[in-house]
Amino acid sequence: MRGRRTVRVVVVAALTVLAVVFVYPLVWLVSASFKPRAEIFDNRLLPRTPTLENYLTVWDAAPLGLWLANTLVVTALAATTVTLSSALVAWGFAHYRFRGRGPLFGLVLATMMLPGAVTLIPTYLIWHQLGFVGTTVPLWAGNLFGSAFYIFLLRQFFLGLPREPFEAARLDGASEWALFWRIAVPLCRPALVLAFLFEAQASWTDLMRPLVYLQDTATFTVPRGLKAVIDQFGPGGESQWEVVVTASVITTVPMILLFFAGQRYFVQGIATTGSKG
């Protein structure tokens, strides 16, 4: 009993230390956003002279509201399209038996080995020919074709579903689409939410594609806008770090709220997906 209690104390202490290590940068960032320029790097978690001037300066210096709206639209479209398209492909690989299913699924997984830089130029040329360079369409429309990672994740979940409800529904005259939409999707909601959250986070923080495709500040997303703010107020500009950290806080808050809103599905999706065969 005493040994078990000692182990628990050690585990709790280790987790506490790790939590502090991970949370401290965020706490410091929020604290720094309320400090004047002279105190920005004093490492005090409680500002000596708190001020809201930084937030007013940021909203005057950059169209953060427009960038947040652009990013919200792109994130919603990217996460929704990749979740639905990947679910359809995963359902096909998990539920149907057809010749060549194994090699074809292996080919899908093999695409995960290609770095994004390899397909960056061909993809850019395609979007250029379609006339979408300079718009936000290339940031999400590619997700209409699914993602190998999410296809694998959702397929593992679909494989764990019992086949009896689907056979019974088929005998009752249910269509193939009804089997997927009315039975498989509700049963796999945690995994679908998990894929949605993963892609939302990836899309919200994506900088490479906005750097390549976006040219007008009116179409900037949050990461591209932050790059512009850093160029103007960071080491290459006016060195107003209080503006940079304040802009970072404003753009980080939505992701924190999204995580807390979907935390139950996030944990459940990881646990249940990992247990499927």
Side-chain angles (χ1 to χ4, degrees), residues 83-84 86-88 91 154 157-158 161 166 176-193 265:
T83 301
L84 292 178
S86 298
L88 285 169
W91 171 249
L154 295 173
F157 202 101
F158 285 136
L161 297 179
F166 301 99
E176 297 299 320
W177 173 255
L179 295 179
F180 169 74
W181 189 252
R182 296 184 179 180
I183 301 178
V185 168
L187 291 176
C188 296
R189 185 176 301 170
L192 295 172
V193 174
Y265 292 103

Side-chain angles (χ1 to χ4, degrees), residues 52-69 229 233 243 246-247 249-251:
L52 294 176
E53 186 65 26
N54 296 335
Y55 288 88
L56 300 177
T57 302
V58 167
W59 285 105
D60 291 337
L64 276 182
L66 178 61
W67 295 346
L68 286 169
V229 171
F233 298 99
V243 176
T246 303
V249 170
I250 294 174
T251 55

Side-chain angles (χ1 to χ4, degrees), residues 116-215:
V118 174
T119 59
L120 184 61
I121 294 178
T123 304
Y124 176 85
L125 294 176
I126 292 174
W127 290 120
H128 180 72
Q129 290 295 324
L130 294 175
F132 288 121
V133 172
T135 70
T136 59
V137 173
L139 306 185
W140 63 267
N143 287 351
L144 289 168
F145 304 99
S147 166
F149 173 73
Y150 301 129
I151 291 172
F152 170 76
L153 184 148
L154 295 173
R155 173 182 174 271
Q156 295 303 107
F157 202 101
F158 285 136
L159 286 174
L161 297 179
R163 298 186 66 88
E164 289 77 10
F166 301 99
E167 298 297 336
R170 185 178 283 110
L171 291 176
D172 289 338
S175 64
E176 297 299 320
W177 173 255
L179 295 179
F180 169 74
W181 189 252
R182 296 184 179 180
I183 301 178
V185 168
L187 291 176
C188 296
R189 185 176 301 170
L192 295 172
V193 174
L194 179 64
F196 183 93
L197 291 176
F198 276 168
E199 184 60 26
Q201 187 273 336
S203 180
W204 188 274
T205 59
D206 181 26
L207 175 60
M208 178 61 70
R209 288 183 297 176
L211 278 174
V212 173
Y213 294 107
L214 302 183
Q215 303 162 354

Side-chain angles (χ1 to χ4, degrees), residues 24-73:
Y24 177 80
L26 178 61
V27 175
W28 181 92
L29 188 72
V30 174
S31 175
S33 68
F34 292 100
K35 297 178 181 179
R37 185 181 308 178
E39 303 175 10
I40 193 73
F41 293 116
D42 62 4
N43 285 328
R44 294 172 58 93
L45 294 183
L46 295 178
R48 187 177 306 167
T49 54
T51 177
L52 294 176
E53 186 65 26
N54 296 335
Y55 288 88
L56 300 177
T57 302
V58 167
W59 285 105
D60 291 337
L64 276 182
L66 178 61
W67 295 346
L68 286 169
N70 292 341
T71 311
L72 183 62
V73 172

